[in-house]
Amino acid sequence: MAGTNLLVDCGDGVMLERGVACRLQDGTVLRSDHYYPPGGGKQPTLLMRQPYGRDIASTVVYAHPIWFARRGYNVVIQDVRGRGGSEGEFYPFRNEGRDGAETIAWLRMRPECNGRVGMYGFSYQGMTQLLAAAEQPEGLECIAPAMTACDLYAGWFYHNGALRLASSLGWGVQMLKEDAVRRGLHEGRAKLEAAWTNLRAQTWFMPYGEHPVITDPELPSYVRDWFEHDVPGEYWSSMDVSARASDIRVPALHVSGWYDTYLQGSVLGFELLRTQAGSNHARDNQYLLAGPWVHIPWGDRVGECDLGAEARLDTDELLLRWFDHWLKDADTFANEPKVRHFAMGVNRWLAADDWRGDATMSLYLHSGGRAESRKGDGGLSTVKAADEPSDIFVYDPEVPVMSPGGAQGVSGPTDQAVLEMGNNLLVYTGEPLGDALHVFGAPKVTLYAATSASHADFVAKLVRVLPGGRAEFVCMGIARSSALFGDEYQADSVHVWEFELEPTSTVFAVGERVRLEIAGCAFPLYDRSSSNETKPRDMTPFNWGRSTHCVFHDEARPSRLSLQVIA
């Protein structure tokens, strides 16, 4: 143990040293808490870098650092630049690569460290790992990024051009609260707290890009910057690893949740590194754990649903085996599958070599021209449509179709049956299945569609219909016309909308039915289209418009749902 701070006895031989200073090359001092294992001597070090207060140490989902220290690790929880006890200015993601690499160089030279370092943490803490790994610091031998993204634009903030409004605005308000405290802005802090305690109401504020809690000139601009940079580009790629996968040369255990905000970011990050990481060693040792979880917490309950005992996976023990394997040469992860996924519907864990099924099933849209709501006549079949009329619904931003969980935003396999009674969406339902169907991967829709508006969105949602009528949300995707078609999009012209939904592993049992919902928005999870040239961030009731959406399904225009399945 090194340092001059008071040591606290945590029991079982674990000692804690608080507020240890690491001076970076630019003079900034970062503070961390160090948990030393029993017995002394040189041991591997586990590092978590986070912006929420190092004493919390992400214990909302992980065991306390003392637990890992008892098992023979130095555990270091560091406040990132500009947060907690660390000096400097906080701008999310911007400094985490360099700061992380310098921290690792400092840690491995400390007398308690044997030179071998691993990193762990979820959400922002997952991103600090990826950014540090891309700097290739000596001594970093493995990482375990959970519920995060290699691509900030496509995996964290936007999905096919649509802003993840609820999570982006909510997280931004949360981050700005500490900035207000550090600047001594009492009034600003009170306004942020009021917004935070009634977060769902904030998504209704218009224009959301001018929300007073994010436009305070005395506060940092990063939330406004996220909203203004609504297309991919250097702003985003300079802060992530989307174009730097080849710089990462360490094994990674990616943890994701089927109902997590950053599900797509996690899964595509796994795919990116297993194909483009900078060494055979790294590419061959990317692992994915896909559980039935929301962002917080991880367990056997998601909203109203009990997912069974297997959903209570001991992720801490799994993480310990991961680190023992790479940092202690214990061979404790050698028999793990590359992908371990929780199959919804049967509620059990399965192993796979890839995150996608080995076959594709196409289900074609059918109706007699009245597929609005589940009271309509929309159907799904493996047989292509012949001469059938189109289906029409009206998108109205004033009365938006709500995202799963509604205004409360409680995700999970929630029942969509009430929402599906509205005529502002289309519903296509297959016949009861004669054989079980395991959907594994990212479903895709191909919609031949026209809209009366010059700018429009389409949302596709996969639903599992139980024999009693319960309609459980599985997964969904969204696409904005500007993202798919750019300036080529024209009102009242048929375009082929083709986009993926977020991935899933769901078993549809015998007697259950596959359902596809088509809508014009999924609010407040995603922001709403204005139906015109007005940016959604600038939209108000004074400049928005409605749009008539028309979906075609006939011999020449075979709109369909394509499912990746396990044969």
Side-chain angles (χ1 to χ4, degrees), residues 169-243:
L169 180 60
W171 185 58
V173 169
Q174 181 186 12
M175 293 292 97
L176 288 171
K177 288 197 298 178
E178 182 168 341
D179 292 306
V181 171
R182 292 174 75 95
R183 287 164 168 75
L185 304 175
H186 293 270
E187 183 177 348
R189 178 62 173 78
K191 290 180 179 178
L192 286 161
E193 187 62 33
W196 176 251
T197 55
N198 190 17
L199 201 53
R200 288 294 159 184
Q202 310 315 311
T203 59
W204 291 91
F205 183 92
M206 291 180 288
Y208 71 76
E210 297 179 19
H211 196 298
V213 299
I214 68 171
T215 54
D216 186 334
E218 295 186 279
L219 288 170
S221 65
Y222 51 78
V223 181
R224 301 194 300 276
D225 296 343
W226 301 338
F227 297 166
E228 289 170 3
H229 291 86
D230 58 357
V231 296
E234 186 178 358
Y235 171 78
W236 296 107
S237 62
S238 67
M239 298 188 297
D240 64 24
V241 297
S242 59

Side-chain angles (χ1 to χ4, degrees), residues 80-400:
V80 300
R81 180 187 293 254
R83 312 302 279 183
S86 293
E87 297 175 352
E89 293 295 319
F90 177 70
Y91 193 102
F93 314 110
R94 182 167 286 171
N95 299 295
E96 305 306 355
R98 183 186 65 247
D99 290 358
E102 289 190 33
T103 296
I104 290 167
W106 167 68
L107 287 174
R108 67 185 302 269
M109 297 306 294
R110 287 174 60 86
E112 71 274 7
C113 182
N114 66 0
R116 308 179 76 174
V117 179
M119 295 184 73
Y120 76 109
F122 84 121
S123 197
Y124 192 92
Q125 298 85 287
M127 197 66 197
T128 64
Q129 299 171 61
L130 295 165
L131 289 165
E135 300 294 321
Q136 300 178 15
E138 187 176 354
L140 180 62
E141 299 193 12
C142 65
I143 57 177
M147 297 184 174
T148 190
C150 286
D151 186 329
L152 285 173
Y153 177 82
W156 190 297
F157 290 97
Y158 290 84
H159 188 169
N160 288 328
L163 175 71
R164 290 177 166 91
L165 177 62
S167 60
S168 300
L169 180 60
W171 185 58
V173 169
Q174 181 186 12
M175 293 292 97
L176 288 171
K177 288 197 298 178
E178 182 168 341
D179 292 306
V181 171
R182 292 174 75 95
R183 287 164 168 75
L185 304 175
H186 293 270
E187 183 177 348
R189 178 62 173 78
K191 290 180 179 178
L192 286 161
E193 187 62 33
W196 176 251
T197 55
N198 190 17
L199 201 53
R200 288 294 159 184
Q202 310 315 311
T203 59
W204 291 91
F205 183 92
M206 291 180 288
Y208 71 76
E210 297 179 19
H211 196 298
V213 299
I214 68 171
T215 54
D216 186 334
E218 295 186 279
L219 288 170
S221 65
Y222 51 78
V223 181
R224 301 194 300 276
D225 296 343
W226 301 338
F227 297 166
E228 289 170 3
H229 291 86
D230 58 357
V231 296
E234 186 178 358
Y235 171 78
W236 296 107
S237 62
S238 67
M239 298 188 297
D240 64 24
V241 297
S242 59
R244 300 177 59 197
S246 61
D247 292 334
I248 296 179
R249 300 180 179 179
V250 295
L253 172 60
H254 305 259
V255 179
S256 62
W258 292 135
Y259 304 101
D260 176 46
T261 303
Y262 311 126
L263 166 62
Q264 184 158 335
S266 295
V267 174
L268 294 185
F270 162 74
E271 177 70 13
L272 179 70
L273 294 186
R274 78 183 306 200
T275 57
Q276 298 183 34
S279 68
N280 289 333
H281 174 64
R283 290 190 296 272
D284 292 344
N285 289 290
Q286 300 296 314
Y287 292 81
L288 175 65
L289 176 71
W293 307 311
V294 292
H295 203 57
I296 302 172
W298 307 347
D300 61 357
R301 297 292 195 280
V302 179
E304 64 197 33
C305 297
D306 182 349
L307 301 178
E310 285 200 36
R312 296 194 302 271
L313 181 70
D314 192 334
T315 50
D316 295 311
E317 285 287 355
L318 184 73
L319 201 58
L320 184 66
R321 290 197 292 109
W322 171 255
F323 288 127
D324 284 349
H325 183 87
W326 296 112
L327 301 180
K328 294 185 176 182
D329 303 320
D331 204 31
T332 46
F333 219 78
N335 296 321
E336 279 294 317
K338 287 296 189 288
V339 177
R340 188 196 291 199
H341 58 104
F342 190 88
M344 302 296 296
V346 293
N347 294 347
R348 59 189 176 92
W349 291 97
L350 300 175
D353 294 325
D354 198 358
W355 62 275
R356 289 164 288 213
D358 54 5
T360 300
M361 169 184 285
S362 292
L363 297 175
Y364 295 89
L365 278 58
H366 294 271
S367 81
R370 195 172 57 85
E372 305 100 305
S373 86
R374 62 182 172 86
K375 299 175 291 183
D377 61 0
L380 290 174
S381 168
T382 55
V383 178
K384 292 184 180 181
D387 186 16
E388 295 183 354
S390 60
D391 291 308
I392 298 172
F393 70 94
V394 176
Y395 160 70
D396 182 357
E398 189 171 13
V399 188

Side-chain angles (χ1 to χ4, degrees), residues 488-504:
E488 296 181 0
Y489 192 77
Q490 296 181 356
D492 299 315
S493 296
V494 177
H495 296 264
V496 182
W497 293 68
E498 189 169 74
F499 58 93
E500 288 187 344
L501 286 62
E502 293 196 320
T504 185

